[in-house]
Amino acid sequence: MAVPTELKRGLRLPVIASPMFIVSNPDLVIAQCTSGVIGSFPSLNARPQARLGEWLDRIQAALADHDARHPDRPSAPFAVNLIVHRSNDRLAADLEACVAHKVPLVITSLGAQVEVNQAIHSYGGLVFHDVINQRFAHKAIEKGADGLILVAAGAGGHAGVQSPFALVQETRAWFDGPIALSGAIATGRSILAARAMGADFAYVGSAFIATEEANAPEAYKQMIVEGSAEDILYSNLFTGVHGNYLRPSIAAAGFDPDNLPTSDPSKMDFASSAGDAKAWRDIWGAGQGIGGVDDIVPAAELVARLAREYEAARADLLR
Ligand SMILES: Cc1cc2nc3c(=O)[nH]c(=O)nc-3n(C[C@H](O)[C@H](O)[C@H](O)COP(=O)(O)O)c2cc1C
């Protein structure tokens, strides 16, 4: 299994902190990278579009400053998520900003485009594409992605329905490039399990919502701390694409979580509204792994916990 050397620099744990709509911001990304995991954010979080360049400047300056002060433990690379879907009218401008800033890793989702991959490759950047099944995985690699993010059942936000075992096993049968496994990973032991299954990285999202840096209301963070897998509901009502959301937030927005209608997928709009409740702002996304999250901490502390648990799990297996 091949992890490109550019991505190994500064890595304390084989983890990509996944991009989360609204939640991921420069403070969170800087904290993730300086604690030794790959940090990321969706370009759409920088609003208006002109702010994306400012965010990238800020992240790059903070990481360079950290590296100058701590040459013994340099920061990990960061990634930007581009939504490659017809509803995203910012794609060209956001791609241009990524190229201008030579973003080390670009995570593409909801579509795969040869031109986007070529633009990132033009300066030596890498592209990982996120997929939920083999059909999309093959398409992504055919179109030039360097790595795959396998989004399994139980992942926060837009998620697949396949078991992580099945997804990794079938992908590894034909793909020996870098793989990140996404879905319900919130402990060091689970990170090690992802590696054992054949993934190079664990892709961790929801656990980072319950951090001080995350751009989420306190009630959302608290719901992550208090919730467990039973509190997660899979529905396509809110954006037209199936995703996992916190049941209590659905109830608080005035819906009956046990009797939700389904939506028309042809009307898909990434940030669409359902009734008065704006998807993502009022209907809170989270994956099934939140039972592993017990408190709201600085992101560096979460990474330190994951690292301790990862080492303990490794030692445990060797006994
Ligand atoms: C609130 C929330 C927002 C998300 N937004 C995005 C996004 O904008 N782009 C994307 O590629 N993935 C997004 N995801 C999916 C994550 O990148 C990742 O696949 C998922 O969080 C991993 O599962 P976990 O939350 O169980 O750790 C989002 C997930 C959550 C929980």
Side-chain angles (χ1 to χ4, degrees), residues 18-21 42 81 109 130 154-157 182-184 203 205-206 220 270 280 285 287:
S18 70
M20 291 184 283
F21 192 51
N81 171 225
S109 36
D130 84 359
S182 164
Y203 200 65
S206 298
Y220 186 0
F270 185 65
W280 308 108

